[in-house]
Amino acid sequence: MRITIIGSGNVATHLAAAFKNAGHRIVQVYSRDMQHAALLAYHVAAEAINKAEDINADTDIFILAIKDDAITGFVPHLSTFNKPVVHTSGAVDLQALSDHTKNAGVFYPLQTFSKTKEVNFREVPLCIEGADESISKTLEELARSVSNNVYRVNSDQRKVLHLAAVFACNFTNHLYNISEQLLAGSGMGFDMLRPLIAETADKVKEHSPAGVQTGPAVRNDEHTMQAHLQMLNAQPGLQEIYTRLSQDIIKNNNTGNGDK
Amino acid sequence: MRITIIGSGNVATHLAAAFKNAGHRIVQVYSRDMQHAALLAYHVAAEAINKAEDINADTDIFILAIKDDAITGFVPHLSTFNKPVVHTSGAVDLQALSDHTKNAGVFYPLQTFSKTKEVNFREVPLCIEGADESISKTLEELARSVSNNVYRVNSDQRKVLHLAAVFACNFTNHLYNISEQLLAGSGMGFDMLRPLIAETADKVKEHSPAGVQTGPAVRNDEHTMQAHLQMLNAQPGLQEIYTRLSQDIIKNNNTGNGDK
């Protein structure tokens, strides 16, 4: 397929590379910032553009990988071409596009992307949704060409998925960050925690997280939890996080299903 | 070495197996519950006992892998043998032992253990501390026989490490748990999140977590955060966790060092 990428950030970069590697042709990369557009366009042998009026009709699909609140505003530049226009956001309804074009769709990669970190794209869950069956089919085919994990997910489901991903990924990474900060000044480095982090994630590849919960809260070890809160006396924000998460673990353990 | 294991839980099980695999001899496994003692003893070809008075002097070291609050109470059963007595806890001071025996030490594996999940023990960070240099040397040698990651860590450092581990491991696993719960009833399973969880952990093998933070909070995407809180309306406990962690991410991003 001929593909036009709108955006040059983390998602745009990884999607464009995956499409290119699968044999598709990236025709244009658009970014407001010409240098950003040029860098990505160079990697995928596309034309770099930074003006919406330079967008070419010579493509099979427009993929919007831009900020959520910029999506709706960009559609008028594309709807005249009568080609599929899809966004890549977990949080934005299909309707944000379908209000403006009948060729609307969603192509949401459920993964965390940073430009400096390669990803095995064939394992990335791709969640697709089309305004009609023809668009869904096109998106499904495109998705299967780059990944083994393709799901049809509607807008309501996708929002749940995105929320779950914030807990499983964004908040988790912040906990890693907190743990690194806690070691600062102790003469011990983050390297000491890396095997623990790897194993914690590895455990849930086969197990359900509830079945492998460890630590003071699940043991209801009041003494250790009090000592930890004491150690965090100068960091009330971390105390709150510690308390809330511990309470939810204890509640979960008692009811078998946590805060629901 | 001849090793006596006091305890039969997750830590006792993995330690005993690692020692046995490295060629050491487990002489006795003690548990209050004879069936628990017998099961572990069987796996490591040791004698199972459930009475403290049956503990044998024919050993080189006593390793306590029992609940934190049971450690001090158990020492009198061992101090008469004049052999090293070490505990395996992140949260308990060396002094809890050295008040009762001059042969006190700590052998703390910084890892999460579940009986049903195998671990590559050679990568487990082992944090050792001895009441004197002779005990430290003995523990260092024993530790190096089972792991490549051996650290001398004093009691204050170990407490910091343990606190950091609660964030990096226990709380992280609970976030996985929350994400699984959020998907319940949506027609989507936890399998969809597994590649994301694996990649989130994989990223920090090389990178510092602060440098690879993604999600609505680090982008300060108010609109998405409000929508997420709305979705959590029926779960005030999760709303609190969402708010606290998001605030800390935003603070971190603004100051470059978070809640400190």
Side-chain angles (χ1 to χ4, degrees):
Chain A
M1 281 177 79
R2 297 169 299 171
I3 298 169
T4 301
I5 302 283
I6 311 296
S8 59
N10 294 329
V11 173
T13 298
H14 283 273
L15 274 181
F19 290 139
K20 173 80 179 159
N21 291 339
H24 300 290
R25 187 155 72 88
I26 315 297
V27 288
Q28 293 188 309
V29 172
Y30 166 91
S31 171
R32 279 181 309 184
D33 182 319
M34 191 58 177
Q35 285 196 301
H36 292 172
L39 181 64
L40 177 53
Y42 174 74
H43 284 302
V44 297
E47 180 191 2
I49 53 174
N50 69 340
K51 291 192 186 73
E53 56 267 34
D54 291 339
I55 292 173
N56 206 314
D58 177 32
T59 188
D60 298 310
I61 189 168
F62 294 101
I63 296 186
L64 294 159
I66 55 180
K67 286 208 172 109
D68 286 2
D69 55 13
I71 291 172
T72 305
F74 206 89
V75 187
H77 298 303
L78 308 172
S79 47
T80 51
F81 294 115
N82 199 27
K83 299 280 169 66
V85 176
V86 309
H87 75 65
T88 53
S89 165
V92 175
D93 217 281
L94 175 67
Q95 198 152 4
L97 294 180
S98 57
D99 281 350
H100 301 87
T101 172
K102 63 181 174 48
N103 299 303
V106 181
F107 194 96
Y108 170 53
L110 179 54
Q111 190 50 283
T112 172
F113 297 110
S114 297
K115 285 181 186 171
T116 51
K117 171 74 172 69
E118 261 194 89
V119 163
N120 178 359
F121 213 91
R122 291 228 64 90
E123 288 180 7
V124 175
L126 294 177
C127 306
I128 61 147
E129 182 180 15
D132 60 40
E133 185 56 24
S134 154
I135 292 172
S136 293
K137 281 250 166 69
T138 301
L139 293 180
E140 198 161 86
E141 200 177 320
L142 179 62
R144 286 192 197 286
S145 74
V146 292
S147 169
N148 302 329
N149 294 325
V150 178
Y151 301 89
R152 289 204 183 193
V153 162
N154 67 37
S155 288
D156 285 343
Q157 287 177 311
R158 196 174 56 252
K159 281 176 193 166
V160 174
L161 213 46
H162 185 244
L163 176 60
V166 167
F167 281 89
C169 165
N170 307 146
F171 288 167
T172 286
N173 186 73
H174 187 57
L175 293 182
Y176 300 160
N177 188 356
I178 290 170
S179 73
E180 182 172 28
Q181 288 173 34
L182 287 171
L183 294 196
S186 73
M188 302 178 295
F190 187 59
D191 264 348
M192 286 185 76
L193 293 171
R194 284 188 160 112
L196 178 66
I197 286 171
E199 175 66 14
T200 304
D202 202 54
K203 268 181 156 181
V204 299
K205 280 186 181 162
E206 303 278 330
H207 294 80
S208 180
V212 292
Q213 183 68 49
T214 56
V218 76
R219 292 194 305 267
N220 214 341
D221 177 349
E222 286 282 358
H223 183 78
T224 300
M225 290 189 280
Q226 281 309 319
H228 283 168
L229 288 173
Q230 191 74 31
M231 290 169 74
L232 295 172
N233 250 342
Q235 291 137 292
L238 295 190
Q239 274 186 331
E240 272 294 338
I241 291 169
Y242 189 100
T243 302
R244 295 292 176 179
L245 284 167
S246 295
Q247 283 172 349
D248 206 51
I249 291 171
I250 293 165
K251 193 172 170 187
N252 234 282
N253 202 31
N254 291 340
T255 64
N257 64 2
D259 184 46
K260 40 189 323 203
Chain B
M1 282 175 79
R2 295 168 302 172
I3 298 169
T4 302
I5 302 282
I6 311 297
S8 60
N10 294 330
V11 173
T13 297
H14 283 272
L15 273 182
F19 291 137
K20 173 81 178 157
N21 291 338
H24 300 289
R25 186 155 72 87
I26 316 297
V27 288
Q28 293 187 310
V29 172
Y30 166 90
S31 171
R32 278 180 311 184
D33 183 319
M34 191 56 177
Q35 285 195 302
H36 292 173
L39 181 64
L40 177 53
Y42 174 74
H43 285 301
V44 297
E47 180 192 2
I49 54 173
N50 70 340
K51 291 192 187 73
E53 55 267 34
D54 290 340
I55 292 172
N56 207 313
D58 179 31
T59 189
D60 299 310
I61 189 168
F62 295 100
I63 297 186
L64 294 159
I66 55 180
K67 285 206 173 108
D68 287 1
D69 55 15
I71 291 172
T72 305
F74 206 88
V75 186
H77 298 303
L78 307 171
S79 47
T80 52
F81 294 116
N82 200 26
K83 300 279 169 66
V85 175
V86 309
H87 75 65
T88 54
S89 165
V92 175
D93 217 281
L94 174 68
Q95 197 152 4
L97 294 180
S98 56
D99 280 350
H100 302 86
T101 172
K102 63 182 175 52
N103 300 301
V106 181
F107 194 96
Y108 170 52
L110 179 56
Q111 190 49 285
T112 172
F113 297 110
S114 297
K115 284 182 187 171
T116 52
K117 171 73 171 68
E118 261 193 88
V119 163
N120 179 0
F121 214 92
R122 292 229 63 91
E123 288 180 7
V124 175
L126 294 177
C127 305
I128 62 149
E129 181 180 16
D132 59 40
E133 184 57 25
S134 154
I135 293 172
S136 294
K137 281 252 165 68
T138 301
L139 294 180
E140 199 161 85
E141 198 177 323
L142 179 62
R144 287 195 197 284
S145 73
V146 292
S147 169
N148 303 330
N149 294 324
V150 178
Y151 301 89
R152 289 205 182 192
V153 162
N154 66 37
S155 287
D156 286 342
Q157 287 177 311
R158 195 173 57 252
K159 282 175 193 165
V160 173
L161 213 47
H162 186 244
L163 175 60
V166 168
F167 281 89
C169 165
N170 306 145
F171 289 166
T172 286
N173 186 73
H174 187 57
L175 293 182
Y176 300 160
N177 188 355
I178 291 170
S179 72
E180 182 172 27
Q181 289 173 34
L182 287 171
L183 294 195
S186 73
M188 302 178 294
F190 187 59
D191 264 348
M192 285 184 77
L193 293 171
R194 284 189 160 111
L196 177 66
I197 286 172
E199 174 66 14
T200 304
D202 202 53
K203 269 180 157 180
V204 299
K205 280 184 182 163
E206 304 279 332
H207 294 80
S208 180
V212 293
Q213 183 67 50
T214 55
V218 76
R219 292 194 305 267
N220 214 342
D221 178 349
E222 285 281 356
H223 183 77
T224 300
M225 290 189 278
Q226 282 309 319
H228 283 167
L229 289 173
Q230 191 74 32
M231 290 170 73
L232 295 172
N233 250 342
Q235 290 137 292
L238 295 190
Q239 274 185 331
E240 271 294 338
I241 290 169
Y242 189 99
T243 302
R244 295 292 176 177
L245 283 166
S246 295
Q247 283 172 349
D248 206 51
I249 291 171
I250 292 166
K251 194 172 171 186
N252 235 284
N253 202 31
N254 291 339
T255 64
N257 64 2
D259 183 47
K260 38 185 339 200

